[in-house]
Amino acid sequence: MKITILQRDIEWANPSVNINRADEAIDRNPGSDIYVLPEMFSTGFCTNPEGIAESDNSETLQWLKRKAAAIDAAIAGSVAVTKDGKFYNRFYFVKPDGSVTHYDKKHLFTYGGEHKRFTAGNERVVVEFRGVRILLEICYDLRFPVWARNRGDYDMILYVASWPTPRVSAWSALLVARAIENQCYVAGVNRVGNDPACQYCGGSVVIDPYGKTIVACTDNLECEATATIDIEALQAFRAKFPVLNDAD
């Protein structure tokens, strides 16, 4: 399986511009099975979502469906969503057949005030696509290893983020830790650029189950990178060195 990570500079509260640029980035990198965009890729990370959050059937979601069908691949990324008077940081995983799986962010970023307006999810979500089982997680979730603990039910974690530059060393270290301790692939997709509150430098990577970086995007630049996920090699590693069997 091929996965392409899309490190983006997101224009604040402008879904049409951000979608068009994401569409072009995907077209520059044909042939992957999964394309992953950052957290709140259509608007930028907003803790005051009024007037910015989109409906749960917005043009962003419709684009995800159209694009996934057109390229015969899955597309993933999170969106600020409003539904029934509540706001969610919602991670969409859209398959080419039009089916949608979503995960609502469990660990809201209290330091930045995300918990004041958004509603936390309470469901751990694993989606299967083309023989790979994938755990969906968002940004601050990365700091909570119990939430990501591999129960033998996934092969790869996707982390989408708006992780600021001053704390990017923690981002990099924790992605490696999650890959090693859960004996899985990890794809972490962070943004670059600026929003009204923070500056972002990226650090988007795909990491193998040994904790080694397979591909990485260039810091501080919009760019894309593609990696191959080898499930047979992962299964062989787990069989040879079955550390998950001894997990707490």
Side-chain angles (χ1 to χ4, degrees):
M1 170 182 280
K2 288 186 177 180
I3 179 171
T4 295
I5 54 175
L6 302 154
Q7 183 169 281
R8 315 307 303 145
D9 185 353
I10 301 167
E11 185 165 322
W12 182 252
N14 197 335
S16 61
V17 167
N18 294 319
I19 288 171
N20 287 339
R21 290 167 61 186
D23 194 285
E24 292 169 356
I26 290 171
D27 286 346
R28 287 196 299 270
N29 297 270
S32 283
D33 298 284
I34 302 175
Y35 294 84
V36 189
L37 292 155
E39 180 181 21
M40 294 193 191
F41 69 87
S42 63
T43 61
F45 180 71
C46 57
T47 55
N48 295 304
E50 291 82 359
I52 295 177
E54 307 174 51
S55 75
D56 64 339
N57 194 31
S58 67
E59 174 55 29
T60 298
L61 181 57
Q62 296 308 310
W63 169 74
L64 287 167
K65 291 180 178 180
R66 291 194 303 270
K67 191 65 176 178
I71 63 174
D72 189 31
I75 308 177
S78 100
V79 178
V81 168
T82 178
K83 183 177 182 181
D84 299 330
K86 296 182 178 181
F87 297 102
Y88 302 92
N89 188 341
R90 180 160 291 177
F91 190 162
Y92 287 122
F93 189 99
V94 181
K95 297 180 181 181
D97 64 3
S99 61
V100 179
T101 300
H102 77 260
Y103 160 68
D104 292 333
K105 188 178 183 181
K106 163 70 171 176
H107 297 97
L108 300 177
F109 189 46
T110 54
Y111 181 79
E114 186 180 15
H115 66 297
K116 295 178 180 179
R117 299 299 296 122
F118 284 83
T119 297
N122 56 18
E123 181 182 358
R124 184 175 180 275
V125 177
V126 175
V127 60
E128 191 277 334
F129 185 63
R130 294 181 178 169
V132 180
R133 301 167 301 166
I134 303 163
L135 178 68
L136 307 181
E137 303 242 300
I138 302 174
C139 202
Y140 194 44
D141 286 330
L142 178 60
R143 289 186 179 269
F144 302 93
V146 175
W147 186 240
R149 180 72 68 233
N150 197 334
R151 306 170 187 171
D153 59 347
Y154 69 78
D155 309 303
M156 177 167 62
I157 312 175
L158 300 185
Y159 284 102
V160 299
S162 292
W163 197 289
T165 298
R167 296 185 292 277
V168 75
S169 60
W171 160 261
S172 299
L174 292 172
L175 289 173
V176 172
R178 296 296 89 82
I180 293 171
E181 71 192 9
N182 293 298
Q183 211 167 27
C184 69
Y185 288 94
V186 169
V189 185
N190 193 26
R191 66 160 294 179
V192 294
N194 300 278
D195 66 17
C198 293
Q199 190 272 336
Y200 306 90
C201 64
S204 303
V205 291
V206 180
I207 299 167
D208 74 12
Y210 298 89
K212 298 177 181 178
T213 297
I214 305 173
V215 295
C217 291
T218 303
D219 288 349
N220 295 302
L221 292 177
E222 276 198 327
C223 62
E224 304 85 42
T226 299
T228 297
I229 304 302
D230 189 336
I231 292 300
E232 290 185 0
L234 173 62
Q235 292 171 341
F237 176 40
R238 287 176 171 175
K240 181 179 180 180
F241 189 54
V243 296
L244 296 179
N245 294 344
D246 299 321
D248 295 322

